[in-house]
Amino acid sequence: RSQKKKKKGHCCSCKNKLNKGKFLVIAAAPSDTDTRINYRVYYNGEIVEERAVMKRTINLKDLEDIIEVQVLRNREVPFDSISIAVPGIIAKGRLDLHRKETIDLQGNMDNLFNLSTYFEKKTSIPVVVENNANCAALGWYRSQDQYENICFMSLPNGWLTGGQCIIVNGKLVRGAHGIAGELRYVMNQMHIDNPLTLNPYHLDTVRQIVTKSILLNISIMDPEVVVVRCEMLPYPDEIKEELKKYDPEEVEFAMYFP
């Protein structure tokens, strides 16, 4: 099914724009036991600083600390913008992700807290907030020149519901309300063998969740390649074998290791 081809010129143009200026990029990747917060400072396309912080939980103060320190350290040549990648649905800077034991980014609200506005007021710097799976997928897409239509599937350790990113003809598909690829709406409708074993560390359960989630995307968008980020399923062949039960057309797989 896959056809090798070079990506169109608009990608190179976009990449050149990203190579000019100074940017702070923060990415939060939570699991059930901890959250890894990676951040980089880019200056004219070069990484000039890169750090990672491990937290048992993540809250608004953790992001504030990183941003405040970096803004102060870079006063001579200030940032042109700040980008933040977090889990959840993002629509116009508002985060749809209810408080959990390990993550709370809602400030003084129960939900739909506007992270972009909050940090823009604190720093007077433009702030862009995006779903972390979307960011990972776009990063993978820009790292290669073979595929234009991609399904990116991410299932963190200890989570039963992951997220998907859809890239069609080289462009990220968000949908009208930013929920394209959001699996929380179909998880409860999935038929899982032995549902009493719905344990995020039960290998067969995880394999079924990932496979059936991918199957939804294959039936709708017919991707050239499926990229999977799931530490419990590091080998594409076991996902391919599971897919054979449902007889989809052959599809290529790639594994994503952040």
Side-chain angles (χ1 to χ4, degrees):
R1 170 190 296 205
S2 173
Q3 296 180 354
K4 292 185 179 181
K5 56 185 177 181
K6 291 186 178 180
K7 293 190 289 187
K8 298 181 177 64
H10 70 271
C11 298
C12 297
S13 173
C14 183
K15 188 174 182 180
N16 289 336
K17 292 177 182 177
L18 295 175
N19 284 341
K20 298 178 181 178
K22 194 172 188 180
F23 310 96
L24 172 61
V25 178
I26 304 170
S31 70
D32 68 324
T33 57
D34 53 44
T35 294
R36 181 183 179 92
I37 308 174
N38 297 292
Y39 61 97
R40 290 176 174 176
V41 175
Y42 288 87
Y43 189 38
N44 292 332
E46 299 292 330
I47 301 172
V48 297
E49 184 174 354
E50 182 174 15
R51 296 176 183 268
V53 179
M54 297 297 294
K55 294 281 188 176
R56 175 65 184 86
T57 62
I58 178 175
N59 55 45
L60 210 55
K61 185 67 165 56
D62 296 319
L63 298 181
E64 283 183 22
D65 290 344
I66 293 171
I67 292 172
E68 182 178 338
V69 169
Q70 289 299 320
V71 168
L72 287 173
R73 290 181 62 182
N74 290 272
R75 283 177 295 181
E76 289 189 11
V77 182
F79 294 116
D80 292 284
S81 70
I82 298 171
S83 298
I84 305 172
V86 293
I89 299 170
I90 312 294
K92 297 181 179 179
R94 295 185 182 276
L95 174 63
D96 183 357
L97 182 67
H98 289 278
R99 290 186 177 91
K100 299 182 180 181
E101 184 178 343
T102 57
I103 184 167
D104 178 9
L105 298 174
Q106 290 299 339
N108 59 357
M109 296 182 64
D110 293 329
N111 200 22
L112 300 179
F113 185 68
N114 196 316
L115 286 172
S116 292
T117 300
Y118 179 79
F119 285 116
E120 284 177 352
K121 287 182 177 179
K122 281 185 168 291
T123 63
S124 298
I125 298 171
V127 176
V128 177
V129 180
E130 182 56 270
N131 172 269
N132 55 359
N134 284 351
C135 292
L138 286 169
W140 190 91
Y141 169 72
R142 292 185 184 282
S143 72
Q144 53 82 48
D145 61 1
Q146 184 173 348
Y147 305 106
E148 287 281 299
N149 299 280
I150 299 167
C151 166
F152 184 98
M153 171 76 197
S154 175
L155 185 65
N157 270 356
W159 289 37
L160 286 170
T161 303
Q164 284 189 3
C165 171
I166 302 166
I167 295 178
V168 176
N169 296 329
K171 295 184 179 180
L172 176 66
V173 177
R174 290 187 174 87
H177 306 95
I179 66 172
E182 192 64 32
L183 296 175
R184 70 171 84 169
Y185 301 110
V186 296
M187 178 64 197
N188 290 335
Q189 310 305 319
M190 283 186 186
H191 172 75
I192 304 295
D193 296 339
N194 303 316
L196 292 180
T197 63
L198 278 180
N199 181 327
Y201 292 103
H202 189 281
L203 185 58
D204 189 55
T205 298
V206 172
R207 187 185 296 112
Q208 287 186 63
I209 290 172
V210 169
T211 303
K212 291 181 179 180
S213 299
I214 291 171
L215 191 63
L216 287 171
N217 202 298
I218 289 174
S219 67
I220 294 171
M221 70 163 286
D222 186 26
E224 296 170 272
V225 64
V226 176
V227 184
V228 179
R229 177 205 173 220
C230 180
E231 293 180 32
M232 290 187 66
L233 299 174
Y235 305 108
D237 285 347
E238 57 186 318
I239 304 176
K240 288 182 179 180
E241 287 301 312
E242 186 73 19
L243 272 174
K244 285 181 181 178
K245 296 179 182 179
Y246 312 102
D247 197 32
E249 293 291 325
E250 183 67 21
V251 63
E252 291 197 23
F253 278 82
M255 309 312 286
Y256 178 85
F257 300 102

